[in-house]
C-alpha cells in the first residue's frame, strides 16, 4: 500500500507529520511511504509547484496524503507557478473529480461553533463538490478594452458528463446516509446552473430511494447557518463547494477539523485511488510554530484508509480517537486551547 506524502507549505509539514504518527501507531502491515515536494516547496526545489517527479510519484501510489500549499512569498509569481497550482494540477491530472467534505459536530464543541449550540449540535452533512471543472478550470484572460480599461475574465462551464458523474457520487453517498440530496446551484441566473439542474434531475430517476431538492446557493448559505441539521448530502459545483465548505467548518467549530477526500474512478488493488487533504490552507501566519491543529489531516488519513485501502475499522478507530480527544477537552489554539500540534497528535495516538 503505497502512499505519496506531499506535506507542502506553511503548516502542511507539521500537520502531515502528526497524521503519519497516527498511521504509524496503527502498525498497518505493508504500508510504504514516499515523500515529494509540492507548492512553494516544489517551486523552490524544482522550479515548479507540481514537479513532474512529484506527479509521477502520485500516479504510482495507491493514495496521496496532502498537507497544504500556499506561500505569501509566491504571491507575485505568474499564476501557473503559484503554489495553489500544485493541488489544482493534481486534481486535474489525476481526474479526481469528486470531493467529499464531511461536516459533523463533535460532542463538547457546540460552544465553540459560530452557531448557537443547539443549532450546531445538529450538523451532520457531507458536501459533494465537483472538483475538476467549473470556473476553476475554464479559460482565463486579461484584456485591455478599447477604451483603455483593464478587464479580467474566467469562463464558467460544465459539460453534461461532468455533472452526471458527480451527481452519481452524491446519490450513492446519500444512499449510505440519510437518502437526501440537496443540489446547490444558481439556476435563476447562470446557464451553467440550468444545465446542472437538468442533468441532476435526469440522474435522480435512477435513485428513486433518494429525495432530491434544488436550492440556490445564496439560500443554501443562509440555510447552512440557520438550520444546518436539515442537510444530508449537498451536491454542488467547484466554486460553490469551495465557499460552502469553509462556511460549514465554522458551524462545526474550526477549520482545523474538516477533512476531505478527492476521488476519481481509478481502482487500485486496495480500493479507490484518492487524494486526502485537510480543507484548511497553509496558514503562513502560524507556520513553523507548532500551533496548528493536525486533526483535519489526521481525519483525512482516516478517510484514506476507508476509501483507498478498504480499512473501515481502522478509519473508525482514528475518528473515534479524535472525537474522544475533543470530548476530553484536548484543544488546540484554534479552539481556544493551548495544546500544540505535536501534543494533539500524541493525544489522538494515546486514545487509539
Ligand atoms: C480548497 C482550497 C483550494 C480550492 C485552493 C487552495 C486552490 O481553498 O481545497 O478548498 O480553492 O479548491
Ligand atoms: Mg477552499
Amino acid at each position: 500500500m503505497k502512499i505519496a506524502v506531499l506535506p507542502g507549505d506553511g503548516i502542511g509539514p507539521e500537520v502531515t507529520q502528526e497524521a503519519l504518527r497516527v498511521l504509524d501507531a496503527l502498525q498497518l502491515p505493508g504500508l510504504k511511504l514516499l515523500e515529494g515536494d509540492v507548492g512553494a516547496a516544489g517551486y523552490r526545489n524544482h522550479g515548479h509547484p507540481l514537479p513532474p517527479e512529484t506527479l509521477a510519484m502520485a500516479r504510482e501510489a495507491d493514495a496521496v496524503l496532502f498537507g497544504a500549499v500556499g506561500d505569501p512569498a509566491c504571491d507575485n509569481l505568474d499564476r501557473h507557478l503559484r503554489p495553489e497550482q500544485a493541488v489544482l494540477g493534481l486534481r486535474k491530472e489525476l481526474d479526481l473529480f469528486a470531493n467529499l467534505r464531511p461536516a459533523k459536530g463533535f460532542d463538547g464543541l457546540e460552544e465553540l461553533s459560530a452557531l448557537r449550540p443547539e443549532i450546531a449540535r445538529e450538523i451532520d452533512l457531507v458536501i459533494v463538490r465537483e472538483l475538476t471543472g467549473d470556473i476553476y478550470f475554464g479559460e482565463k484572460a486579461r484584456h485591455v478594452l478599447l477604451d483603455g480599461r483593464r478587464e479580467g475574465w474566467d469562463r464558467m462551464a460544465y459539460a453534461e458528463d461532468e455533472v452526471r458523474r458527480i451527481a452519481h457520487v452524491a446519490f450513492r453517498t446519500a444512499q449510505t446516509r440519510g437518502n437526501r440530496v440537496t443540489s446547490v446551484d444558481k439556476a435563476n441566473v447562470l446557464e451553467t446552473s440550468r444545465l446542472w439542474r437538468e442533468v441532476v434531475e435526469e440522474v435522480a430517476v435512477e435513485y428513486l430511494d433518494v429525495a432530491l431538492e434544488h436550492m440556490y446557493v445564496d439560500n443554501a448559505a443562509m440555510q447552512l447557518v440557520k438550520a444546518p441539521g436539515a442537510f444530508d448530502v449537498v451536491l454542488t459545483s467547484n466554486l460553490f463547494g469551495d465557499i460552502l465548505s469553509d462556511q460549514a467548518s465554522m458551524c462545526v467549530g474550526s477549520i482545523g477539523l474538516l477533512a476531505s477526500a478527492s476521488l476519481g474512478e481509478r481502482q487500485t488493488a486496495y480500493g479507490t485511488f484518492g487524494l486526502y487533504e485537510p480543507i484548511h490552507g497553509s496558514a503562513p501566519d502560524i507556520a513553523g510554530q507548532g500551533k496548528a491543529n493536525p486533526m483535519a489531516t489526521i481525519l483525512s488519513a482516516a478517510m484514506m484508509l476507508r476509501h483507498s485501502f478498504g480499512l473501515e475499522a481502522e478509519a473508525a478507530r482514528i475518528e473515534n480517537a479524535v472525537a474522544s480527544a475533543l470530548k476530553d477537552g484536548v484543544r488546540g489554539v484554534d479552539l481556544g486551547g493551548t495544546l500544540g500540534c505535536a501534543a494533539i497528535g500524541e493525544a489522538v495516538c494515546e486514545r487509539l
Side-chain angles (χ1 to χ4, degrees), residues 84 87-88 91 101 129 136 242:
E84 289 78 7
V87 71
L88 296 176
R91 291 169 182 174
R101 298 192 158 183
R129 170 190 177 195
Y136 268 61
D242 178 45

Side-chain angles (χ1 to χ4, degrees), residues 266-287:
R266 199 180 119 212
Q267 298 297 314
T268 70
Y270 312 100
T272 305
F273 176 81
L275 179 147
Y276 302 85
E277 56 174 326
I279 80 154
H280 63 67
S282 58
D285 52 324
I286 58 164

Side-chain angles (χ1 to χ4, degrees), residues 170 174-175 177-182 210-213 229-234:
Q175 285 178 324
R177 303 173 38 100
N179 289 84
R180 285 182 300 118
V181 169
T182 305
V210 178
L212 169 68
E213 64 169 345
F231 293 102
D232 179 26
V233 172
V234 176

Side-chain angles (χ1 to χ4, degrees), residues 307-324:
H307 295 284
S308 286
F309 297 114
L311 298 171
E312 173 58 37
E314 288 77 0
R317 264 181 80 191
I318 296 179
E319 288 163 351
N320 291 335
V322 169
S324 78

